[in-house]
């Protein structure tokens, strides 16, 4: 069996988002040379919204290139889907999906060691980026969101590097499973499940806060502000 690998690598600078007054670095460009990676991600990559993007728990974003077939079938009229990097990902990969990646997985990629900290929570900027008014909601409902890493060991990586799993402390918790609990009605307020998820050491603090609030309030958070603007 072939090892998963980086099919392409992407980095972006802050610029105007589509034809709006908003700023974003979602428009990533393919890079073919080796990229240094710090605790905050690729050193040549930027984020305009430091509150909701970037940081140590969202240092590197990966998206499965396999997911593109789903999107091209669902939305064949969107030209951005013709090449990788469309979702603002740093790593476009082959051989991994949300179903096969577990929260807390640790991977050796190039000379870096990265830990899966959370799946992506899509935001309204996707709507403008793709020129599709409900793209963020579509990504959320598809559960094909991609995922983030925290950087355990800094180093460098490049296109073609293999992605080697070196530790899997939570084999029962795929990203698809977590996304189902986050976004689907069934079991989303199950106290036993939420308490178990809160015990996952590597789960991002922002996700733990969501699950803690659900336990405390017995309600699902409002996603409108994140999904639409």
């Amino acid at each position: 069996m072939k090892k998963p690998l980086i099919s392409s690598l992407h980095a972006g600078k802050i610029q105007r988002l589509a034809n709006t007054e908003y700023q974003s670095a979602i428009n990533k460009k393919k890079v073919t040379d080796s990229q240094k990676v710090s605790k905050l991600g690729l050193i040549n990559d930027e984020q305009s919204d430091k509150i909701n993007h970037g940081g140590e728990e969202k240092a590197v974003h990966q998206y499965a290139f396999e997911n593109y077939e789903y999107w091209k079938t669902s939305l064949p009229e969107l030209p951005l889907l013709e090449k990788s990097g469309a979702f603002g990902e740093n790593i476009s990969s082959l051989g991994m999906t949300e179903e096969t990646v577990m929260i807390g997985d640790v991977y050796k990629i190039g000379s870096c060691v990265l830990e899966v900290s959370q799946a992506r929570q899509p935001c309204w900027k996707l709507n403008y980026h793709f020129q599709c008014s409900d793209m963020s909601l579509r990504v959320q409902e598809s559960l094909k969101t991609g995922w983030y890493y925290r950087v355990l060991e800094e180093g460098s990586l490049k296109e073609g590097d293999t992605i080697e799993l070196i530790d899997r402390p939570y084999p029962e918790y795929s990203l698809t499973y977590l996304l189902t609990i986050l976004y689907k009605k069934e079991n989303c307020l199950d106290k036993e499940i939420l308490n178990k998820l809160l015990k996952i050491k590597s789960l991002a603090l922002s996700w733990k806060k969501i699950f803690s609030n659900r336990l405390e309030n017995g309600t699902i958070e409002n996603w409108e502000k994140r999904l639409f603007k």
Side-chain angles (χ1 to χ4, degrees):
M1 181 181 296
K2 291 183 178 180
K3 287 185 178 181
L5 56 79
I6 298 176
S7 55
S8 59
L9 196 61
H10 306 266
K13 300 297 182 182
I14 298 171
Q15 56 185 279
R16 181 174 292 184
L17 174 63
N19 295 315
T20 73
E21 72 274 24
Y22 306 117
Q23 297 289 305
S24 175
I26 194 173
N27 189 23
K28 309 293 187 191
K29 302 299 182 184
K30 183 177 178 180
V31 290
T32 56
D33 54 329
S34 180
Q35 297 289 302
K36 291 184 178 179
V37 179
S38 74
K39 291 288 185 180
L40 296 178
L42 278 66
I43 63 169
N44 291 321
D45 194 43
E46 295 181 352
Q47 299 85 33
S48 63
D49 179 359
K50 300 293 186 181
I51 296 175
N52 296 304
H53 299 102
E56 291 191 4
E57 295 200 328
K58 296 181 181 178
V60 180
H61 180 227
Q62 183 169 331
Y63 199 75
F65 191 62
E66 289 89 339
N67 288 346
Y68 276 72
E69 287 304 312
Y70 168 85
W71 292 114
K72 286 189 283 188
T73 300
S74 303
L75 299 165
E77 72 280 7
L78 297 185
L80 281 178
L81 295 170
E82 293 303 315
K83 58 183 180 180
S84 60
F87 291 88
E89 66 266 33
N90 300 120
I91 295 174
S92 179
S93 61
L94 288 170
M96 304 166 69
T97 68
E98 292 81 0
E99 293 180 348
T100 63
V101 173
M102 312 296 154
I103 191 69
D105 277 0
V106 179
Y107 294 94
K108 179 72 176 294
I109 312 177
S111 59
C112 305
V113 177
L114 308 180
E115 179 183 51
V116 178
S117 56
Q118 60 186 290
R120 179 187 192 166
Q121 288 188 272
C123 79
W124 56 269
K125 290 185 177 181
L126 288 173
N127 302 335
Y128 293 100
H129 180 59
F130 282 97
Q131 296 295 289
C132 177
S133 62
D134 63 346
M135 190 65 182
S136 58
L137 179 60
R138 286 173 180 265
V139 172
Q140 176 169 299
E141 291 182 340
S142 73
L143 308 185
K144 299 179 185 299
T145 64
W147 57 93
Y148 287 105
Y149 293 109
R150 60 173 63 89
V151 179
L152 300 184
E153 293 184 19
E154 298 177 340
S156 61
L157 42 75
K158 64 182 185 302
E159 180 180 319
D161 279 346
T162 57
I163 303 174
E164 180 183 359
L165 177 67
I166 59 176
D167 191 22
R168 174 163 284 173
Y170 303 102
E172 68 272 36
Y173 293 126
S174 72
L175 295 180
T176 297
Y177 174 77
L178 265 69
L179 286 162
T180 299
I181 300 302
L182 194 65
Y183 296 132
K184 303 300 181 181
K185 298 294 183 183
E186 185 178 356
N187 296 327
C188 66
L189 293 174
D190 186 295
K191 292 184 179 180
E192 183 178 355
I193 292 175
L194 294 176
N195 276 309
K196 286 182 178 179
L197 296 179
L198 285 171
K199 294 177 182 178
I200 299 175
K201 292 181 179 180
S202 47
L203 182 64
L205 293 177
S206 60
W207 280 52
K208 288 185 176 181
K209 183 177 180 180
I210 290 172
F211 295 145
S212 292
N213 287 339
R214 288 187 182 183
L215 280 171
E216 182 177 348
N217 302 320
T219 58
I220 304 171
E221 56 282 353
N222 189 323
W223 302 319
E224 287 293 314
K225 187 176 180 180
R226 172 171 54 80
L227 293 172
F228 300 103
K229 186 168 184 176

